[in-house]
Amino acid sequence: MLCVCCLSAYARSARVYGYVVDQENVGIELVNVAAWDAPQPPEGGEKRSRKLLGGTATNKNGYYELLLEEADTVVLQFSMIGYTTVQQRVIDLKDVLNINVEMLTDEQVLNEIEVRGIKHTQGTMDRIDASTTRVMPDATGGSIESLLITFAGVSQTNELSSQYNVRGGSFDENSVYVNGIEIHRPLLIRSGQQEGLSFVNPEMVENVSFSAGGYGAQYGDKMSSVLDITYKRPQAFEASLSASLLGAQVYVGHGDSTYSQMHGLRYKTSKYMLGGLATAGNYQPTYIDYQTYITWKVQSRKTKDRSAAAQSEKTPWTMSFLGNVSQNDYRFTPDSLSESFGGQNAKNLSIYYEGQEKDKFLTAFAALSAKGRYEVESRKSKDESPSEIEIGFDVSGFYTNERENFDITGEYVLSNAPAGQISEALGTGLFHQHARNSLEAGVITAAHNGSWKSGNNTLQWGVSGQAELIRDHISEWEWRDSAGYSLPNDGRSMELYYAMRGDSAMKSARVQGYVQNEHKWNTNSGQWILTVGGRLQWWSWNNEVLPSPRASVEWIPGWKRDLCFRLATGLYYQAPFYKELRDTVTDDLGIIRMKLNSDLKAQRSVHVVLGGDYYFRAWGRPFKFTAEGYYKYIDRMESYTVENVRVRYSGKNDSQGYAGGLDLKLYGELVPGADSWISFSTMVARQRLNGSTEWIPSPQEQRFNFSMLFQDYIPQLPQLRFHLKMQFAEGQPYYAPRNNQAWGRMSTYKRIDLGATYIFNAQTAKFMRAPSAKHVKQWAIQFEVFNLVGWRNVNSYFWVADAYGAQWASPNYLTGRRFNLKVTVDLR
């Protein structure tokens, strides 16, 4: 607050803001707003010189904002082709002033007809503004996924991870596409501490779409959600640099009408964040990745016209290359842990460690694409648009080499009182955890896709072939001793508490195809959009064919264009990749032997989604309210457990389940000129083993989830902006080891992250107008507080047992309150 007061004392500017709307109270975009020191003389009057004090243009919602020096008299002029110019005189301009303007259509210019369209969200795909990730507080270091968790139906209970679950599904049930190509993730990650950054580089993103269910046939076989991302093609030089306590990144882009290139280099270290965990030790996590995206249009030899319009018409083919390489090293030497839990019956667990963990994850991805666009003259009249045909070819490859090695010994004492108090020990013991795991995988994909748009009809199709090669070695075990007895204790022999071994190799091929048709038509009742399609997949491993029909219908009532209703349904599959195939058999020595189940079938789910959108204006600002109800029934389900972020499958089609709920979201300008949203979800997700009559909660069930992203600023200082991200969700179920039927719930997940950003640019700072700063577009200082209230959230449990079989669950807490400082510079 002291900094704000000091900055306000030096600010001698006045702020003028407001909305420009038409006669129907709809915001007008791209209205020129100019501030003059005198009014414009009437037509034919004496001309005199006027001084321009400042100017801007309205955004898509009709909002404008001007920072002007204090003055006795200022004339604001609002002008746009097709509307009558409006002038507003302001006397004694200072502080903050709100001026809303209604503009009338100029009938002398448009004297025949006026056509106005309002963009509605089509289908179940929701659009996301990726630029919000630049200023949103994010403990992972900056990712699109951290923005998703504030959406209805999406939840996350580990701020160290970029993984998320949607409507009761697991992490592995979410598809991610970049430029139409599916992205794969490392397979051995077991904790958020091991994770690096998400594949998607937010600085390179142009469009982001997300669907939590009921999506179209063009998206692959996953049961929960799809995240579709398109990278941008810069038309001029642009660059940015940023550094914080969590890492640094550099982005450079350049392009023109025929060629573009982007390069991004990111470095992340979560050492500072991991210092807030309960387990003290030496954390050395480092992540680095390089990503590039290059596009070029094939020029015709007959033309030398380099204009964008000419190239679009005469060079229908565009080539592109997307490449990424990343390396994640995680080194950890634990020291000690002292944790109290249990409320009134407080207990304390103290552990003293020896040993270390060394993990390495190396991934690479490359994709070469060619896309062509043609216009076909099939018009029946000159008023119709020509048909458009787009065809594309992609070749991509993914490679991952993962190593997980640790030997950690711990001596523990479980007592009946908080730390620092003398009490009788409930149990003492020691354990030794060992792992030598490795995995190497490669995936090569060749695909063709296309579309044909003619009038109100759009036909899409695609076919792809994929080869997969995976080699896996697992050798991990844990030995436990309690009060001198090895666990488990049968009184006759000494056995390991847990042991798993296996060597596997898999070669397989997949063939996939889809076709989808969308048709639009208008009736007296309104506009209708019908989408019908289907997918077909064959996998050589189990020789299974998966037909997946999907359909949706959307209706925009003619009597109320601000409403939109939709219904989507379909048959969706969760096709196994590799982790799901790991079946286990226990030998005579008690060692779990891993093998791949060639009889495993894809999990199958029926989706029904009914929802709608309502667009309205309140307090002169635009809003959108969305509601969706859904139901999913799943058979041939594969049971699994979740520990931290590791999903361990049973390897068998041994259960069935269902999920149903309601998602609500309010999106709009809670503060003028700043988008915010509030989401609330309620759901029930249950499963039961085959042959059982008892329904138990699914591992990812959260019966309520409230989230919010709120953006605000100080009216006298609009360059100082605040961003608040909040989550409040029911804890997820947890299961005792070797007893999947016994369950409880973790404590409620509560978290508030707060960020404050001060932006310097030519409009807000005089030194930015100097010739020496001509290549600096803006720079910003951002201060972040993670877990503002300091709530102790639980992610998993460490189970302590004595020789008689009694077990206690000691919670593994996530990070406490942490601070971060970030500096970003944008160049031009």
Side-chain angles (χ1 to χ4, degrees):
M1 292 303 298
L2 179 62
C3 294
V4 171
C5 293
C6 293
L7 290 169
S8 299
Y10 284 102
R12 303 298 301 171
S13 60
R15 175 171 168 263
V16 183
Y17 73 96
Y19 289 88
V20 180
V21 299
D22 59 14
Q23 294 166 279
E24 296 184 8
N25 200 31
V26 177
I28 308 176
E29 186 180 4
L30 299 178
V31 175
N32 295 315
V33 184
W36 302 88
D37 62 347
Q40 182 180 6
E43 187 176 353
E46 179 183 356
K47 293 184 178 181
R48 57 181 182 271
S49 61
R50 297 191 302 161
K51 181 181 178 182
L52 180 64
L53 305 178
T56 186
T58 59
N59 66 9
K60 61 181 179 180
N61 297 319
Y63 177 80
Y64 75 93
E65 183 177 304
L66 277 173
L67 287 180
L68 304 171
E69 295 183 0
E70 294 184 355
D72 294 334
T73 303
V74 172
V75 176
L76 297 179
Q77 180 175 299
F78 303 85
S79 61
M80 184 179 183
I81 296 176
Y83 294 88
T84 303
T85 299
V86 176
Q87 295 191 73
Q88 183 84 33
R89 183 190 293 267
V90 179
I91 307 298
D92 192 19
L93 176 64
K94 60 181 180 180
D95 297 332
V96 180
L97 185 63
N98 175 232
I99 298 180
N100 297 322
V101 175
E102 178 181 319
M103 298 186 69
L104 305 178
T105 56
D106 187 353
E107 296 183 356
Q108 294 181 357
V109 178
L110 296 177
N111 55 7
E112 294 183 358
I113 189 172
E114 179 184 350
V115 179
R116 180 185 295 113
I118 300 176
K119 180 66 175 179
H120 287 77
T121 301
Q122 289 190 10
T124 60
M125 300 296 290
D126 199 2
R127 306 302 188 267
I128 302 173
D129 184 3
S131 63
T132 308
T133 60
R134 305 195 73 197
V135 294
M136 182 185 61
D138 181 14
T140 65
S143 66
I144 296 293
E145 290 84 351
S146 64
L147 187 62
L148 284 182
I149 63 176
T150 61
F151 278 49
V154 185
S155 63
Q156 181 191 65
T157 56
N158 189 340
E159 64 272 9
L160 297 174
S161 171
S162 61
Q163 301 195 50
Y164 54 94
N165 46 282
V166 179
R167 293 178 175 173
S170 73
F171 306 132
D172 298 325
E173 296 178 15
N174 305 312
S175 298
V176 179
Y177 290 83
V178 175
N179 296 339
I181 301 172
E182 188 171 7
I183 303 300
H184 300 276
R185 300 173 59 94
L187 300 174
L188 289 185
I189 295 288
R190 69 169 66 203
S191 68
Q193 293 91 310
Q194 295 174 314
E195 279 197 33
L197 289 168
S198 165
F199 175 90
V200 181
N201 188 333
E203 293 292 332
M204 305 173 70
V205 171
E206 181 178 41
N207 296 318
V208 181
S209 300
F210 176 76
S211 174
Y215 37 89
Q218 69 270 40
Y219 299 111
D221 295 297
K222 294 291 180 72
M223 290 196 305
S224 286
S225 73
V226 58
L227 177 63
D228 191 0
I229 294 172
T230 303
Y231 276 5
K232 60 185 177 182
R233 299 175 181 177
Q235 298 298 309
F237 175 80
E238 58 185 34
S240 68
L241 302 91
S242 66
S244 73
L245 297 177
L246 304 182
Q249 67 174 8
V250 178
Y251 160 77
V252 178
H254 182 266
D256 54 28
S257 59
T258 60
Y259 177 80
S260 70
Q261 59 175 324
M262 293 191 297
H263 306 274
L265 183 66
R266 297 183 294 174
Y267 167 76
K268 175 189 176 182
T269 174
S270 54
K271 180 178 181 178
Y272 171 71
M273 288 296 299
L274 298 179
L277 296 175
T279 302
N282 183 19
Y283 294 91
Q284 295 292 337
T286 58
Y287 174 89
I288 187 170
D289 88 329
Y290 167 74
Q291 195 163 154
T292 182
Y293 181 53
I294 302 172
T295 70
W296 65 97
K297 294 182 178 180
V298 181
Q299 287 186 303
S300 173
R301 296 182 179 180
K302 298 182 180 180
T303 179
K304 298 181 179 180
D305 188 353
R306 297 179 61 87
S307 66
Q311 294 301 327
S312 177
E313 179 182 355
K314 299 181 180 181
T315 58
W317 283 93
T318 300
M319 309 292 293
S320 64
F321 173 78
L322 174 63
N324 172 267
V325 60
S326 66
Q327 178 172 298
N328 183 11
D329 286 315
Y330 178 72
R331 297 172 180 262
F332 175 45
T333 305
D335 180 61
S336 62
L337 167 70
S338 180
E339 198 67 70
S340 298
F341 60 95
Q344 293 181 350
N345 300 320
K347 295 178 175 60
N348 176 261
L349 176 67
S350 297
I351 305 178
Y352 304 93
Y353 294 98
E354 288 184 357
Q356 63 179 343
E357 179 176 357
K358 294 182 179 180
D359 306 326
K360 177 175 286 189
F361 306 90
L362 175 66
T363 61
F365 173 84
L368 182 64
S369 303
K371 298 186 182 299
R373 177 178 177 273
Y374 296 91
E375 292 186 354
V376 180
E377 292 292 342
S378 59
R379 294 178 290 182
K380 297 180 181 179
S381 67
K382 63 179 182 180
D383 296 329
E384 292 184 8
S385 300
S387 299
E388 295 181 1
I389 296 179
E390 294 185 3
I391 54 177
F393 300 92
D394 304 303
V395 177
S396 63
F398 169 77
Y399 172 79
T400 180
N401 191 328
E402 307 173 26
R403 298 288 186 270
E404 185 181 43
N405 303 311
F406 57 81
D407 270 295
I408 297 177
T409 302
E411 299 182 14
Y412 66 85
V413 178
L414 180 67
S415 58
N416 224 346
Q421 299 183 16
I422 300 176
S423 64
E424 181 182 358
L426 293 175
T428 62
L430 56 89
F431 61 87
H432 186 174
Q433 297 173 336
H434 167 94
R436 294 292 185 272
N437 300 330
S438 63
L439 184 143
E440 190 173 10
V443 179
I444 298 177
T445 305
H448 160 67
N449 54 78
S451 66
W452 174 39
K453 183 177 181 180
S454 178
N456 294 325
N457 201 77
T458 302
L459 177 66
Q460 294 177 279
W461 67 88
V463 62
S464 65
Q466 180 171 292
E468 304 153 350
L469 175 62
I470 301 175
R471 290 191 294 267
D472 185 18
H473 170 75
I474 290 182
S475 177
E476 59 181 57
W477 51 262
E478 181 177 357
W479 171 73
R480 288 196 183 187
D481 176 275
S482 177
Y485 292 91
S486 176
L487 300 180
N489 177 30
D490 60 3
R492 299 184 304 273
S493 61
M494 186 177 74
E495 297 183 6
L496 292 173
Y497 183 76
Y498 160 79
M500 175 179 285
R501 294 177 183 171
D503 287 282
S504 304
M506 185 186 78
K507 294 181 180 179
S508 61
R510 298 177 196 260
V511 178
Q512 306 178 66
Y514 74 90
V515 61
Q516 177 173 280
N517 188 74
E518 178 189 271
H519 183 67
K520 302 178 181 180
W521 73 96
N522 294 302
T523 66
N524 295 331
S525 61
Q527 184 183 38
W528 294 81
I529 304 174
L530 177 64
T531 304
V532 178
R535 290 185 65 85
L536 196 65
Q537 179 184 139
W538 171 79
W539 193 27
S540 64
W541 178 260
N542 56 10
N543 201 30
E544 184 180 21
V545 178
L546 305 177
S548 177
R550 306 175 188 180
S552 67
V553 61
E554 185 172 356
W555 175 45
I556 303 175
W559 47 268
K560 188 66 174 176
R561 304 292 293 180
D562 295 333
L563 285 173
C564 177
F565 301 96
R566 57 182 171 272
L567 172 65
T569 186
L571 182 63
Y572 295 81
Y573 290 90
Q574 179 73 23
F577 181 67
Y578 178 73
K579 290 193 299 183
E580 299 90 337
L581 298 175
R582 288 175 168 176
D583 196 359
T584 55
V585 176
T586 303
D587 63 16
D588 296 336
L589 299 177
I591 298 176
I592 300 174
R593 301 289 180 178
M594 192 197 74
K595 66 174 185 177
L596 300 183
N597 184 3
S598 59
D599 296 325
L600 183 72
K601 302 299 182 182
Q603 300 179 78
R604 183 169 54 191
S605 174
V606 177
H607 287 200
V608 178
V609 180
L610 176 64
D613 302 320
Y614 175 46
Y615 299 82
F616 64 97
R617 297 183 72 90
W619 308 292
R621 301 191 290 271
F623 288 89
K624 172 187 172 183
F625 178 74
T626 298
E628 279 193 353
Y630 63 90
Y631 178 80
K632 300 188 291 186
Y633 175 76
I634 310 168
D635 67 347
R636 305 197 309 193
M637 189 174 177
E638 186 177 2
S639 62
Y640 64 91
T641 57
V642 180
E643 182 181 357
N644 206 304
V645 298
R646 180 173 66 172
V647 179
R648 175 162 287 176
Y649 295 93
S650 66
K652 307 177 183 67
N653 299 113
D654 57 0
S655 58
Q656 56 185 305
Y658 67 88
L662 177 66
D663 294 336
L664 305 174
K665 179 182 176 182
L666 176 64
Y667 175 92
E669 297 184 4
L670 298 178
V671 174
D675 292 332
S676 303
W677 55 85
I678 301 172
S679 302
F680 177 78
S681 301
T682 179
M683 66 171 296
V684 174
R686 298 299 170 101
Q687 66 180 32
R688 68 178 180 185
L689 296 176
N690 295 337
S692 173
T693 59
E694 181 183 4
W695 290 93
I696 63 174
S698 297
Q700 303 286 6
E701 183 194 54
Q702 290 177 292
R703 290 174 293 188
F704 67 87
N705 183 10
F706 174 84
S707 60
M708 177 175 65
L709 181 66
F710 180 69
Q711 303 187 72
D712 198 2
Y713 56 86
I714 297 178
Q716 293 84 358
L717 220 66
Q719 60 269 36
L720 179 59
R721 293 181 171 261
F722 297 90
H723 313 273
L724 183 144
K725 184 173 69 172
M726 177 181 178
Q727 293 174 265
F728 184 82
E730 183 184 37
Q732 293 179 335
Y734 66 90
Y735 303 84
R738 305 184 181 184
N739 186 5
N740 290 343
Q741 293 297 105
W743 62 276
R745 281 196 180 271
M746 300 180 189
S747 57
T748 302
Y749 185 85
K750 307 178 292 292
R751 185 176 180 87
I752 296 177
D753 296 333
L754 179 66
T757 305
Y758 195 95
I759 300 175
F760 299 88
N761 54 36
Q763 190 177 12
T764 61
K766 289 185 178 180
F767 70 89
M768 292 291 293
R769 305 169 197 159
S772 58
K774 64 180 181 178
H775 295 299
V776 180
K777 183 179 179 180
Q778 70 175 25
W779 65 283
I781 299 178
Q782 186 172 351
F783 179 71
E784 300 172 323
V785 184
F786 302 129
N787 198 357
L788 178 67
V789 184
W791 283 311
R792 305 181 75 195
N793 292 308
V794 179
N795 178 252
S796 60
Y797 289 90
F798 178 82
W799 291 86
V800 180
D802 61 17
Y804 305 102
Q807 296 188 92
W808 290 273
S810 174
N812 295 320
Y813 291 104
L814 292 166
T815 58
R817 185 186 299 111
R818 310 298 281 175
F819 305 94
N820 185 39
L821 184 65
K822 180 180 179 181
V823 178
T824 303
V825 180
D826 294 330
L827 305 176
R828 57 188 174 189

